[in-house]
């Protein structure tokens, strides 16, 4: 069972994602701030992290993404950034942070499912 | 060397034409003496000799005659007796008398009877007596007396005595002859001896005399030589060993004379030198001319004047340097002359042409005078080269012409008269002022000032004139027709050679047009200055030398750089450094030099953070002036920033609820959920939709308020308490059960105090709503929220509503920004809000004449007070 980590400060959105993914075979973890999210990522080593960009506190989404990707323990972890900002600059920043993909809020839950399928597909099947 | 006096004198006077030289005194004297001696001795000798001869002759003759007598006597008897023998013996005896050569007895016919004579043997020379009876007949004297004769010069020289002897009446003669040869010879010998002695003694005397004279006269020679030197070397005194008193006297006299001569000579020399220096000092050439027009004397200046050799000039005709000025011309000129001078000498002045170096002609002025008095010069000429004078006259003419034709008015005032009258004005002055030369002359030049005697320029002029220096002033002057013109007057003093002030020169220029233009420029400048000083934009201007020429007040305020430190002191590069130092080092500083023509952004940190938009302009006239305009766009930037922040925030805020709404609705459409779950999701959807509604409303409110700036406020005097109650009633805090506790002052009768305010009730409700919402939102951990009515003695016309919470409060930094649009203390979204709440409150309250106060302490709570304009109650106080 693949582990998914949701790092998002809005509880409603966490609920939405959980609900969206409940029929899939994922083990879902949640964190509501950046540092906690990073800690959990490093501990759990999820297959994929859904990371909100706009979070208060010391680490925003980009920084968490960077660290996840840098850390050899989690370098293989997929990171999807959730952002309300769709400006090119923001997307480029995300790319620079090393994210594998991003979703612009509001996103379609079905699109989320498809994206996860794609990203978590076995390498042989790609 | 011939040292005879004559020769010396002759040597000294060789300039005289050769005269017959007198013979040397010594020789003269010598010869004279010699002559004298010779003569006298010759005379004496001759006399002596002749006397001697006479004497001798006499003696011989007497002897002879005595012998003859004796013979006669002796012979008488013999003769009578005709005794020849005895005659012979008588004669022989008598012959023995020395000196008798022959005795002869002669008959009356002259026939010698007997003669006795000595004869000399020619060979041996011995003398022997001889009696001769055969002697030739001789003549006998005719007279009957004894006769003596001598023949000194005869041959032979003899002396013969005839003695008659009367015998028997016949005259017999006795002739005795003495041969004078010997005596003659002896006499001749004596003569020769005497002559020799005379000659010798003569020569001796001559020699002696010569030596003596030589000795005596040598001083004279020296004296003569000295005399000769005297004229060459003044003051020398001769020291001569006087051989005689006369010579000593002569030497003394000569010495005295030498002294006198020296003194005279010195006097003359001095005199000469004075004359010479006077003559030679004058720059004019002085020429003495004689009767025939030839030069007799010249002075030094003539050398440079005519280029001739002065020493050779004497004697040349004067018209060799003044061509045409011959004797006739001189006389004709003098004929027209005036009589001048004490002695009535004629003098005439005329211009002429002089000749320099024989070929160059130059103009001269000549003063020609007749010389009275003896001397070689008949005329005196004073010649002056007037080339320069003519040239300066020419240049004076030229300058006068310049002045006359100048377009500037020229005025010359004489300063030697009390009134400082004008002595000259030029044509341009007349044209400029309308006053003619005749009008202006004699008047003081301040007459142009008309009635206006108190201009600042006049004081300046007066001071300058008092200090005798130049000045340049601008005055208001009035023309003859009364019209005013601006006169730029430059004055300059003119001094004579002693440095005394003689005139003042004034140059006038009509600068009316310029002054008016200048005034216009000044006015414009003032206007611009005023405009620029009012302008909130900062302006800095650099002049052609890249020094700051102007910085307006706004710039100085912006940058905190006082104008006094900038203007004229700071160069462009220094300015850039100053600005760079004040800017945010994190941001690139736009170099002025890389002017792209587009506005740049300069981010100032000091003295406070400002965003400045800078525009660069170079002056159109191209003289290198640079103008920088700084517009404070901090607010706009902030606003822009805030707007973009807001937009992104708003977008984020709008989008965040949409996630739930969109997501859950999509899930619900594509899956089937049990009813409880559906219900939960719908609740979430609803809630989030409500948030969006709030957001949209607030946005619209804000936009409206900004657009209208309070124009749609309905201000009415209304009671405050009901507004509070209505607001509290409509507060919708779904997750919060807390109630706001209201603390209202009580009025008379225990009821709530009625407070009347002049407000738009609707808007106040909205404002209060926001304040109370904040109190709830920012005390998520609970805590009491209270509202009270407050009054303040300092704010008598106000009524305040204070809302207090015990929530998270704010730090001072947060507090400072609390009214900023879109500023949220917690932008995470945990506390919902747009950041517009308090901003709206402030806008609403202030637009109604009120104010908002916020006090907060982090972790303790926040206190917001709204002050509203209070009005008296409509109801009368009970």
């Amino acid at each position: 069972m693949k582990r998914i980590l949701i790092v998002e400060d809005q509880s409603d959105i966490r609920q939405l994602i959980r609900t969206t993914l409940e029929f899939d075979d994922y083990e879902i973890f949640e964190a509501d701030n950046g540092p906690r999210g990073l800690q959990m990522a490093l501990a759990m080593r999820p297959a994929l992290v859904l990371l909100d960009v706009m979070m208060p506190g010391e680490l925003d989404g980009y920084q968490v993404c960077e660290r996840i990707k840098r850390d050899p323990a989690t370098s293989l972890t997929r990171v999807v950034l959730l952002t309300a900002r769709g400006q090119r600059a923001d997307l480029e920043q995300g790319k620079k942070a090393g994210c594998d993909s991003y979703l612009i809020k509001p996103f379609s839950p079905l699109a989320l499912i498809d994206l996860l399928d794609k990203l978590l597909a076995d390498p042989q099947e790609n | 060397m011939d040292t005879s006096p004559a020769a010396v004198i002759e040597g000294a006077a060789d300039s005289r034409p050769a005269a017959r030289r007198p013979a040397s005194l010594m020789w003269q004297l010598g010869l004279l003496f010699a002559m004298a001696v010779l003569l006298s001795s010759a005379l004496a000798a001759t006399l002596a000799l002749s006397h001697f001869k006479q004497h001798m002759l006499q003696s011989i003759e007497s002897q002879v005659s005595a012998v003859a007598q004796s013979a006669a006597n002796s012979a008488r008897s013999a003769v009578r007796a005709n005794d020849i023998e005895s005659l012979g013996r008588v004669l022989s005896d008598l012959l023995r008398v020395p000196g008798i050569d022959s005795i002869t007895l002669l008959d009356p016919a002259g026939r010698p009877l007997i003669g006795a004579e000595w004869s000399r043997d020619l060979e041996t020379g011995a003398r022997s007596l001889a009696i001769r009876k055969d002697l030739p007949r001789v003549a006998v004297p005719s007279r009957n007396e004894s006769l003596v004769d001598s023949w000194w010069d005869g041959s032979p020289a003899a002396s013969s005595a005839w003695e008659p002897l009367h015998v028997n009446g016949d005259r017999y003669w006795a002739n005795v002859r003495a041969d004078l040869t010997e005596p003659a010879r002896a006499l001749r010998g004596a003569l020769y001896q005497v002559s020799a002695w005379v000659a010798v003694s003569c020569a001796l005397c001559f020699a002696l005399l010569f030596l003596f004279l030589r000795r005596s006269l040598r001083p004279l020679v020296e004296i003569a030589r000295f005399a000769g030197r005297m004229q060459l070397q003044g003051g020398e005194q001769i020291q001569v060993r006087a051989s005689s008193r006369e010579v000593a006297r002569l030497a003394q006299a000569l010495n005295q004379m030498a002294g006198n001569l020296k003194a005279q000579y010195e006097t003359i020399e001095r005199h000469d030198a004075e004359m010479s220096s006077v003559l030679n000092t004058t720059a004019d050439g002085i020429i003495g001319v004689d009767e025939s027009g030839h030069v007799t004397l010249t002075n030094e200046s003539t050398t440079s004047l005519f280029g001739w050799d002065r020493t050779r000039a004497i004697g040349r005709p004067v018209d060799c340097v003044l061509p045409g000025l011959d004797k006739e011309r001189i006389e004709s000129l003098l004929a027209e002359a005036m009589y001048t001078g004490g002695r009535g000498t004629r003098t005439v002045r005329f211009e002429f042409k002089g000749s320099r170096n024989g070929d160059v002609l130059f103009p001269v002025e000549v003063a020609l005078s007749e010389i009275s008095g003896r001397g070689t010069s008949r005329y005196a000429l004073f010649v002056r080269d007037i080339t320069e004078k003519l040239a300066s006259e020419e240049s004076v003419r030229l300058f006068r012409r310049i002045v006359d034709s100048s377009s500037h008015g020229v005025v010359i005032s004489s300063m030697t008269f009390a009134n400082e009258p004008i002595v000259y004005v030029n044509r341009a002055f007349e044209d400029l002022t309308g006053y003619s030369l005749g009008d202006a002359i004699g008047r003081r030049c301040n007459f142009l000032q008309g009635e206006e005697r108190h201009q600042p320029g006049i004081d300046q002029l007066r001071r300058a004139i008092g200090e005798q220096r130049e000045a340049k002033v601008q005055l208001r002057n009035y023309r003859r027709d009364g019209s005013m013109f601006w006169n730029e007057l430059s004055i300059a003093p003119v001094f004579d050679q002693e440095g005394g002030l003689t005139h003042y020169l004034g140059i006038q220029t009509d600068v009316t047009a310029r002054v008016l233009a200048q005034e216009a420029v000044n006015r414009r400048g003032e206007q611009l200055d005023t405009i620029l000083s009012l302008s909130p934009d900062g302006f800095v201007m650099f002049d052609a030398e890249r020094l700051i020429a102007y910085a307006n007040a706004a710039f100085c305020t912006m940058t905190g750089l006082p104008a006094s430190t900038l203007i004229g002191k700071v160069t462009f590069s220094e300015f850039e450094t100053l600005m760079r130092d004040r800017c945010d080092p994190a941001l690139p500083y736009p170099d002025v030099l890389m002017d792209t023509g587009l506005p740049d952004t300069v981010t100032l940190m000091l003295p406070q953070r400002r965003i400045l938009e800078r525009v660069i302009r170079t002056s159109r006239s191209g003289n290198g002036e640079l103008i920088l305009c700084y517009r404070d766009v901090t607010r706009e930037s902030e606003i822009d920033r805030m707007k973009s922040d807001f937009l992104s925030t708003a977008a984020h805020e709008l989008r965040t609820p949409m996630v739930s709404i969109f997501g859950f609705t999509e899930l619900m459409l594509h899956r089937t959920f049990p009813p409880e779950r559906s219900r939960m999701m719908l609740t979430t959807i609803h809630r989030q939709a409500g948030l969006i509604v709030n957001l949209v409303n607030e946005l619209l409110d804000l936009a409206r308020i900004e657009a209208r700036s309070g124009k749609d406020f309905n201000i009415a005097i209304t009671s405050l308490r009901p507004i509070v109650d209505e607001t509290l009633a409509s507060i919708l805090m779904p997750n919060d059960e807390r109630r706001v506790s209201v603390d209202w002052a009580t009025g008379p009768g225990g009821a709530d105090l009625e407070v009347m305010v002049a407000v738009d009730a609707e808007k106040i409700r909205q404002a209060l709503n926001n304040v109370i919402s904040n109190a709830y939102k920012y005390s998520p951990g609970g805590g009491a929220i209270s509202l009270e009515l407050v009054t303040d003695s300092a704010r008598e016309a106000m009524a305040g509503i204070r809302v207090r919470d015990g929530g998270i409060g704010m730090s001072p930094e947060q507090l400072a920004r609390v009214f900023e649009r879109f500023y949220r203390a917690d932008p995470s979204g945990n506390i919902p809000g747009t950041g517009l709440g308090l901003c709206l409150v402030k806008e609403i309250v202030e637009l109604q004449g009120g104010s908002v106060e916020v006090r907060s302490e982090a972790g303790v709570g926040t206190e917001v007070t709204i002050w509203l304009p209070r009005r008296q109650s409509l109801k009368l106080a009970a």
Side-chain angles (χ1 to χ4, degrees), chain B residues 159-228:
Chain B
S159 178
S160 152
W162 294 92
E163 185 66 38
L165 107 98
H166 292 276
V167 175
N168 318 321
D170 287 318
R171 194 171 340 132
Y172 283 85
W173 291 96
N175 179 245
V176 177
R177 272 232 334 227
D179 193 5
L180 295 177
T181 313
E182 286 294 332
R185 200 186 299 132
L187 203 63
R188 239 191 326 275
L191 183 69
Y192 291 150
Q193 261 190 350
V194 166
S195 298
W197 277 118
V198 163
V200 164
S201 66
C202 221
L204 210 64
C205 287
F206 184 77
L208 280 173
L209 181 69
F210 192 84
L211 286 169
F212 175 74
L213 277 181
R214 194 194 177 105
R215 195 181 76 91
S216 276
L217 294 181
R218 187 180 299 135
L220 280 183
V221 167
E222 278 184 33
I223 286 170
R225 213 180 285 141
F226 167 70

Side-chain angles (χ1 to χ4, degrees), chain A residues 12 19-20 22 56 84 108-109, chain B residues 655 663 666 671 677 687-688 828:
Chain A
D12 285 339
T19 311
T20 308
E22 67 185 359
S108 153
Chain B
R655 284 193 168 129
E666 190 175 278
R671 295 188 196 165
R677 292 201 67 202
R687 185 177 64 248
Q688 295 291 346
S828 71

Side-chain angles (χ1 to χ4, degrees), chain B residues 842-858:
Chain B
K842 189 164 187 267
E843 290 257 359
I844 289 167
V845 167
E846 281 180 359
L847 280 169
Q848 295 178 71
S851 61
V852 183
E853 262 181 12
V854 178
R855 296 221 296 263
S856 181
E857 199 181 320

Side-chain angles (χ1 to χ4, degrees), chain B residues 387-398:
Chain B
T387 316
E388 277 182 27
K389 178 180 139 190
L390 291 180
S392 78
E393 276 174 12
E394 179 62 35
S395 61
V396 165
R397 268 200 296 281
L398 196 64

Side-chain angles (χ1 to χ4, degrees), chain B residues 270-300:
Chain B
R270 208 173 39 242
H271 207 68
D272 250 358
E274 278 173 18
M275 276 306 297
S276 183
S277 64
V278 165
L279 285 184
N280 286 327
T281 302
T282 173
D284 295 346
I286 301 177
I287 306 178
V289 174
D290 68 8
E291 272 283 340
S292 61
H294 289 80
V295 175
T296 55
L297 71 87
T298 65
N299 75 338
E300 204 49 62

Side-chain angles (χ1 to χ4, degrees), chain B residues 422-454:
Chain B
I422 292 177
V423 294
Y424 170 76
V425 298
N426 72 343
R427 183 69 192 277
F429 173 91
E430 293 176 344
D431 293 341
L432 173 60
T433 63
Y435 290 102
S436 71
L437 179 66
D439 292 333
I441 284 210
R443 293 171 82 166
R444 195 146 185 212
C445 62
N446 59 0
F447 75 91
L448 287 173
Q449 291 154 16
E451 299 301 310
E452 263 194 90
R453 298 293 166 133
H454 296 288

Side-chain angles (χ1 to χ4, degrees), chain B residues 226 235-239 252 254-260:
Chain B
F226 167 70
E236 191 184 341
Q237 302 270 294
I238 188 165
Q239 304 296 329
Q252 196 182 35
L254 218 53
N255 277 342
Q256 214 169 29
M257 195 167 84
N260 288 346

